[in-house]
Protein backbone atom coordinates (compact mmCIF):
# COMPACT_ATOMS: atom_id res chain seq x y z
CA UNK A 1 0.00 0.00 0.00
CA UNK A 2 1.44 3.37 -1.04
CA UNK A 3 1.78 5.89 1.79
CA UNK A 4 2.52 9.59 1.79
CA UNK A 5 5.57 10.83 3.64
CA UNK A 6 7.67 13.92 2.93
CA UNK A 7 9.87 15.51 5.57
CA UNK A 8 12.18 18.49 5.06
CA UNK A 9 14.99 19.55 7.38
CA UNK A 10 18.07 21.75 7.34
CA UNK A 11 21.47 20.17 8.01
CA UNK A 12 23.36 22.65 10.18
CA UNK A 13 26.88 22.61 11.56
CA UNK A 14 25.67 23.33 15.09
CA UNK A 15 22.99 20.66 15.40
CA UNK A 16 21.99 17.21 14.25
CA UNK A 17 19.76 14.35 15.26
CA UNK A 18 21.48 11.13 14.28
CA UNK A 19 24.57 9.06 15.01
CA UNK A 20 26.39 10.20 11.88
CA UNK A 21 25.94 13.86 12.70
CA UNK A 22 26.85 13.27 16.34
CA UNK A 23 30.07 11.51 15.38
CA UNK A 24 30.90 14.30 12.96
CA UNK A 25 30.24 16.89 15.64
CA UNK A 26 32.81 15.29 17.92
CA UNK A 27 35.34 15.76 15.11
CA UNK A 28 34.74 19.50 14.86
CA UNK A 29 31.12 20.28 14.05
CA UNK A 30 28.34 18.50 12.22
CA UNK A 31 29.57 17.61 8.75
CA UNK A 32 27.54 17.66 5.56
CA UNK A 33 30.33 15.53 4.03
CA UNK A 34 29.69 12.81 6.63
CA UNK A 35 25.96 12.99 5.94
CA UNK A 36 26.48 12.70 2.17
CA UNK A 37 28.79 9.73 2.72
CA UNK A 38 26.23 7.97 4.92
CA UNK A 39 23.29 8.59 2.57
CA UNK A 40 25.23 7.39 -0.49
CA UNK A 41 26.94 4.46 1.23
CA UNK A 42 30.31 5.78 0.06
CA UNK A 43 33.68 6.87 1.47
CA UNK A 44 34.34 10.62 1.63
CA UNK A 45 37.03 12.66 3.36
CA UNK A 46 35.99 15.86 5.11
CA UNK A 47 38.80 18.24 4.15
CA UNK A 48 37.84 20.63 6.94
CA UNK A 49 38.54 18.08 9.67
CA UNK A 50 40.71 15.52 7.84
CA UNK A 51 38.33 12.73 8.87
CA UNK A 52 37.39 10.04 6.33
CA UNK A 53 33.83 8.73 6.59
CA UNK A 54 33.54 5.26 5.10
CA UNK A 55 30.04 3.79 4.74
CA UNK A 56 30.79 1.51 1.79
CA UNK A 57 29.62 -1.49 3.84
CA UNK A 58 26.26 0.10 4.56
CA UNK A 59 23.49 -2.03 3.10
CA UNK A 60 20.20 -1.05 1.53
CA UNK A 61 21.50 1.71 -0.77
CA UNK A 62 19.88 1.00 -4.12
CA UNK A 63 20.82 4.02 -6.22
CA UNK A 64 22.74 7.30 -5.89
CA UNK A 65 22.89 10.22 -8.29
CA UNK A 66 23.83 13.90 -8.44
CA UNK A 67 21.93 16.28 -10.71
CA UNK A 68 23.02 19.87 -11.28
CA UNK A 69 21.82 22.77 -13.48
CA UNK A 70 22.99 22.62 -17.08
CA UNK A 71 25.57 25.37 -16.68
CA UNK A 72 27.07 23.94 -13.47
CA UNK A 73 30.84 23.35 -13.33
CA UNK A 74 32.08 19.75 -13.50
CA UNK A 75 32.95 19.62 -9.78
CA UNK A 76 29.24 19.93 -8.91
CA UNK A 77 28.79 16.33 -10.07
CA UNK A 78 31.59 15.02 -7.84
CA UNK A 79 30.15 14.13 -4.41
CA UNK A 80 33.38 14.71 -2.50
CA UNK A 81 34.20 18.05 -4.09
CA UNK A 82 30.60 19.25 -4.00
CA UNK A 83 30.08 18.85 -0.26
CA UNK A 84 33.62 19.85 0.67
CA UNK A 85 33.07 23.10 -1.21
CA UNK A 86 29.82 23.56 0.71
CA UNK A 87 31.73 23.05 3.99
CA UNK A 88 34.53 25.38 2.98
CA UNK A 89 32.12 28.12 1.95
CA UNK A 90 30.43 28.32 5.36
CA UNK A 91 32.49 29.91 8.16
CA UNK A 92 29.96 30.29 10.97
CA UNK A 93 29.72 27.71 13.75
CA UNK A 94 25.96 27.71 13.32
CA UNK A 95 26.04 27.68 9.51
CA UNK A 96 23.21 26.05 7.56
CA UNK A 97 24.93 23.64 5.19
CA UNK A 98 22.25 21.86 3.18
CA UNK A 99 18.59 20.97 3.02
CA UNK A 100 17.39 17.38 3.04
CA UNK A 101 14.08 16.12 1.71
CA UNK A 102 13.07 12.61 2.75
CA UNK A 103 10.26 10.91 0.83
CA UNK A 104 8.62 7.50 0.92
CA UNK A 105 8.40 5.71 -2.42
CA UNK A 106 5.45 3.56 -3.50
CA UNK A 107 6.04 -0.15 -3.06
CA UNK A 108 3.91 -0.72 -6.13
CA UNK A 109 6.65 0.72 -8.37
CA UNK A 110 9.71 -1.19 -9.54
CA UNK A 111 13.24 -0.06 -8.70
CA UNK A 112 13.69 1.55 -12.13
CA UNK A 113 10.31 3.27 -11.90
CA UNK A 114 11.26 4.69 -8.50
CA UNK A 115 14.53 6.04 -9.88
CA UNK A 116 12.72 7.70 -12.81
CA UNK A 117 10.12 9.18 -10.46
CA UNK A 118 12.66 10.67 -8.04
CA UNK A 119 14.87 11.93 -10.87
CA UNK A 120 11.95 13.70 -12.55
CA UNK A 121 10.74 15.24 -9.27
CA UNK A 122 14.25 16.43 -8.37
CA UNK A 123 14.82 18.02 -11.78
CA UNK A 124 11.45 19.78 -11.84
CA UNK A 125 11.29 21.05 -8.27
CA UNK A 126 14.91 21.63 -7.23
CA UNK A 127 17.46 21.62 -10.05
CA UNK A 128 15.22 23.83 -12.20
CA UNK A 129 15.41 26.44 -9.41
CA UNK A 130 19.22 26.36 -9.39
CA UNK A 131 19.99 23.80 -6.67
CA UNK A 132 22.42 20.91 -6.92
CA UNK A 133 20.68 17.73 -5.78
CA UNK A 134 22.41 14.63 -4.43
CA UNK A 135 19.88 11.85 -3.93
CA UNK A 136 20.04 8.28 -2.68
CA UNK A 137 17.34 5.63 -2.78
CA UNK A 138 17.30 3.16 0.12
CA UNK A 139 15.29 -0.06 0.35
CA UNK A 140 15.45 -1.47 3.92
CA UNK A 141 12.96 -3.84 5.51
CA UNK A 142 9.69 -2.42 6.85
CA UNK A 143 7.83 -3.25 10.06
CA UNK A 144 5.45 -5.59 8.21
CA UNK A 145 8.25 -7.65 6.71
CA UNK A 146 8.02 -6.02 3.28
CA UNK A 147 10.21 -3.33 1.77
CA UNK A 148 10.39 0.31 2.80
CA UNK A 149 11.69 2.17 -0.27
CA UNK A 150 12.47 5.82 0.34
CA UNK A 151 14.75 8.56 -0.94
CA UNK A 152 17.00 11.12 0.71
CA UNK A 153 17.53 14.27 -1.37
CA UNK A 154 20.35 16.56 -0.22
CA UNK A 155 20.18 20.06 -1.67
CA UNK A 156 22.58 22.98 -1.78
CA UNK A 157 21.38 26.22 -0.21
CA UNK A 158 23.47 28.61 -2.32
CA UNK A 159 23.07 29.35 -6.01
CA UNK A 160 25.95 28.61 -8.37
CA UNK A 161 27.96 31.59 -9.57
CA UNK A 162 30.75 31.14 -12.11
CA UNK A 163 33.03 28.38 -10.85
CA UNK A 164 31.77 28.47 -7.29
CA UNK A 165 28.83 29.17 -5.03
CA UNK A 166 27.11 32.52 -4.86
CA UNK A 167 24.72 33.92 -2.30
CA UNK A 168 22.20 31.95 -0.29
CA UNK A 169 18.77 31.90 -1.88
CA UNK A 170 16.38 32.90 0.91
CA UNK A 171 13.42 32.30 -1.39
CA UNK A 172 14.13 28.56 -1.15
CA UNK A 173 13.29 28.71 2.56
CA UNK A 174 9.70 29.90 2.16
CA UNK A 175 6.87 27.97 3.79
CA UNK A 176 4.77 28.37 0.65
CA UNK A 177 7.46 26.60 -1.38
CA UNK A 178 7.52 23.69 1.05
CA UNK A 179 3.74 23.39 0.78
CA UNK A 180 4.15 23.34 -3.00
CA UNK A 181 6.84 20.64 -2.82
CA UNK A 182 4.59 18.48 -0.67
CA UNK A 183 1.71 18.70 -3.12
CA UNK A 184 3.99 18.32 -6.15
CA UNK A 185 5.32 15.05 -4.76
CA UNK A 186 1.85 13.54 -4.45
CA UNK A 187 1.02 14.67 -8.00
CA UNK A 188 4.25 13.17 -9.39
CA UNK A 189 3.92 9.90 -7.47
CA UNK A 190 0.27 9.44 -8.45
CA UNK A 191 1.11 10.10 -12.10
CA UNK A 192 3.83 7.41 -11.93
CA UNK A 193 1.42 4.96 -10.26
CA UNK A 194 -1.20 5.59 -12.93
CA UNK A 195 1.36 5.14 -15.72
CA UNK A 196 2.41 1.84 -14.15
CA UNK A 197 -1.22 0.65 -14.14
CA UNK A 198 -1.48 0.72 -10.34
CA UNK A 199 -4.67 1.75 -8.54
CA UNK A 200 -2.94 2.96 -5.35
CA UNK A 201 -2.74 6.70 -4.76
CA UNK A 202 -1.20 8.98 -2.10
CA UNK A 203 -2.54 12.27 -0.72
CA UNK A 204 -0.46 15.09 0.74
CA UNK A 205 -3.45 16.53 2.60
CA UNK A 206 -4.04 15.95 6.30
CA UNK A 207 -6.71 13.45 7.39
CA UNK A 208 -8.90 16.37 8.46
CA UNK A 209 -8.58 18.00 5.04
CA UNK A 210 -9.49 14.67 3.44
CA UNK A 211 -12.55 14.31 5.70
CA UNK A 212 -11.19 11.12 7.29
CA UNK A 213 -11.82 10.56 10.99
CA UNK A 214 -9.13 8.30 12.51
CA UNK A 215 -5.83 8.52 14.30
CA UNK A 216 -2.92 9.19 11.91
CA UNK A 217 -0.55 6.27 11.29
CA UNK A 218 3.01 7.23 12.19
CA UNK A 219 5.82 6.76 9.70
CA UNK A 220 8.09 4.23 11.36
CA UNK A 221 11.75 4.07 10.36
CA UNK A 222 13.47 0.73 10.20
CA UNK A 223 14.90 0.92 13.74
CA UNK A 224 11.46 1.56 15.19
CA UNK A 225 10.43 -1.84 13.84
CA UNK A 226 13.05 -3.55 15.97
CA UNK A 227 12.00 -1.47 18.99
CA UNK A 228 8.46 -2.75 18.50
CA UNK A 229 9.69 -6.36 18.19
CA UNK A 230 11.71 -6.05 21.39
CA UNK A 231 8.75 -4.49 23.20
CA UNK A 232 6.39 -7.21 22.00
CA UNK A 233 8.86 -9.90 23.07
CA UNK A 234 9.27 -8.32 26.51
CA UNK A 235 5.48 -8.09 26.92
CA UNK A 236 5.10 -11.73 25.91
CA UNK A 237 7.77 -12.83 28.41
CA UNK A 238 6.10 -10.79 31.15
CA UNK A 239 2.78 -12.45 30.33
CA UNK A 240 4.42 -15.89 30.42
CA UNK A 241 5.87 -15.16 33.86
CA UNK A 242 2.58 -13.85 35.24
CA UNK A 243 0.67 -16.89 33.92
CA UNK A 244 3.13 -19.45 35.31
CA UNK A 245 1.49 -19.77 38.80
CA UNK A 246 -1.95 -20.20 37.21
CA UNK A 247 -0.67 -22.92 34.89
CA UNK A 248 0.98 -24.77 37.78
CA UNK A 249 -2.26 -24.61 39.77
CA UNK A 250 -4.26 -25.96 36.81
CA UNK A 251 -1.79 -28.80 36.28
CA UNK A 252 -2.10 -29.75 39.97
CA UNK A 253 -5.89 -29.86 39.69
CA UNK A 254 -5.73 -32.01 36.55
CA UNK A 255 -3.29 -34.43 38.25
CA UNK A 256 -5.56 -34.67 41.29
CA UNK A 257 -8.63 -35.36 39.16
CA UNK A 258 -6.77 -37.99 37.14
CA UNK A 259 -5.59 -39.69 40.34
CA UNK A 260 -9.11 -39.73 41.83
CA UNK A 261 -10.52 -41.16 38.65
CA UNK A 262 -8.02 -44.02 38.67
CA UNK A 263 -8.67 -44.79 42.34
CA UNK A 264 -12.42 -44.91 41.88
CA UNK A 265 -12.08 -47.33 39.00
Amino acid sequence: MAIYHLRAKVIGRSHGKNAVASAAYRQGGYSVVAMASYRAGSALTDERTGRTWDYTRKGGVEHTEIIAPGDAPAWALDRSELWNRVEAGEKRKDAQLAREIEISLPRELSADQCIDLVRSYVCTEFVHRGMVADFAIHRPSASDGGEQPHAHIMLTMRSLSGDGFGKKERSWNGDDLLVHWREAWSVAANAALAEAGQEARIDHRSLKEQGIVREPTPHLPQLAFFDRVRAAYAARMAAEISLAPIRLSMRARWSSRASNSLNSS
Side-chain angles (χ1 to χ4, degrees):
M1 176 182 177
I3 62 172
Y4 182 89
H5 170 76
L6 185 151
R7 180 174 63 182
K9 66 179 181 181
V10 171
I11 301 170
R13 185 170 289 157
S14 62
H15 59 84
K17 296 182 179 180
N18 57 48
V20 180
S22 296
Y25 180 74
R26 290 191 291 272
Q27 297 296 320
Y30 293 116
S31 168
V32 73
V33 177
M35 187 68 73
S37 174
Y38 183 76
R39 296 306 190 210
S42 63
L44 299 176
T45 297
D46 187 338
E47 296 172 1
R48 185 174 64 90
T49 64
R51 173 71 183 270
T52 296
W53 301 92
D54 188 348
Y55 294 101
T56 52
R57 294 184 180 181
K58 179 180 184 294
V61 180
E62 186 170 81
H63 178 83
T64 64
E65 186 174 339
I66 297 176
I67 307 177
D71 57 350
W75 57 258
L77 298 177
D78 181 288
R79 183 167 290 110
S80 177
E81 191 162 359
L82 169 64
W83 296 115
N84 272 298
R85 281 184 178 246
V86 168
E87 283 282 1
E90 304 296 343
K91 308 302 182 184
R92 294 170 58 97
K93 292 182 179 180
D94 60 349
Q96 294 184 338
L97 304 170
R99 177 176 287 104
E100 182 181 40
I101 308 291
E102 179 187 277
I103 49 179
S104 289
L105 302 174
R107 288 180 175 180
E108 292 81 358
L109 299 181
S110 68
D112 288 340
Q113 288 170 334
C114 285
I115 293 171
D116 290 341
L117 169 59
V118 175
R119 183 184 291 135
S120 175
Y121 177 69
V122 164
C123 288
T124 301
E125 299 301 331
F126 308 121
V127 178
H128 178 72
R129 288 182 165 83
M131 305 175 207
V132 180
D134 182 359
F135 74 88
I137 294 177
H138 297 177
R139 195 176 291 271
S141 299
S143 58
D144 61 359
E147 296 178 335
Q148 189 186 45
H150 61 277
H152 297 273
I153 307 166
M154 292 180 63
L155 304 165
T156 54
M157 301 186 74
R158 291 182 180 272
S159 60
L160 293 168
S161 179
D163 192 46
F165 284 110
K167 64 179 182 178
K168 282 195 173 178
E169 293 292 340
R170 305 300 178 187
S171 62
W172 296 345
N173 298 333
D175 292 339
D176 291 345
L177 188 55
L178 177 57
V179 171
H180 167 75
W181 286 339
R182 289 180 58 82
E183 180 177 3
W185 171 245
S186 66
V187 171
N190 287 336
L193 285 165
E195 185 176 351
Q198 299 290 338
E199 296 183 357
R201 297 293 184 269
I202 61 174
D203 198 320
H204 68 285
R205 297 173 300 167
S206 67
L207 295 177
K208 182 178 180 180
E209 290 172 329
Q210 296 179 55
I212 299 175
V213 181
R214 68 169 172 81
E215 289 295 320
T217 302
H219 175 79
L220 296 176
Q222 186 178 12
L223 290 179
F225 164 62
F226 295 107
D227 290 339
R228 292 179 63 184
V229 170
R230 283 191 289 268
Y233 178 77
R236 181 176 178 180
M237 291 303 296
E240 291 286 341
I241 293 172
S242 65
L243 288 174
I246 298 175
R247 288 173 177 168
L248 288 173
S249 175
M250 293 179 67
R251 286 173 183 171
R253 290 181 183 178
W254 291 334
S255 297
S256 176
R257 288 178 181 177
S259 177
N260 292 338
S261 177
L262 289 172
N263 291 334
S264 61
S265 62

Coordinates of all heavy atoms in Angstrom, one line a residue, residues 10 13 58 98 203:
V10 N 16.8 21.1 7.7 CA 18.1 21.7 7.3 C 19.2 21.1 8.1 O 19.1 20.8 9.3 CB 18.0 23.2 7.7 CG1 19.4 23.9 7.6 CG2 17.0 24.0 6.8
R13 N 25.6 23.0 10.9 CA 26.9 22.6 11.6 C 26.7 22.5 13.1 O 27.5 21.8 13.7 CB 28.0 23.6 11.2 CG 29.4 23.3 11.7 CD 30.4 24.2 11.1 NE 30.6 23.9 9.7 CZ 31.1 24.8 8.8 NH1 31.4 26.0 9.2 NH2 31.3 24.5 7.6
K58 N 27.7 -0.1 4.2 CA 26.3 0.1 4.6 C 25.3 -0.6 3.5 O 25.5 -0.4 2.3 CB 26.0 1.6 4.6 CG 24.6 2.0 5.0 CD 24.4 3.5 5.0 CE 23.0 3.9 5.5 NZ 22.0 3.5 4.5
A98 N 23.0 22.5 4.3 CA 22.3 21.9 3.2 C 20.8 21.6 3.7 O 20.5 21.7 4.8 CB 22.9 20.5 2.8
D203 N -1.9 11.0 -0.9 CA -2.5 12.3 -0.7 C -1.7 13.1 0.3 O -1.5 12.6 1.4 CB -4.0 12.1 -0.2 CG -4.8 13.4 -0.5 OD1 -4.3 14.5 -0.3 OD2 -6.0 13.2 -0.8

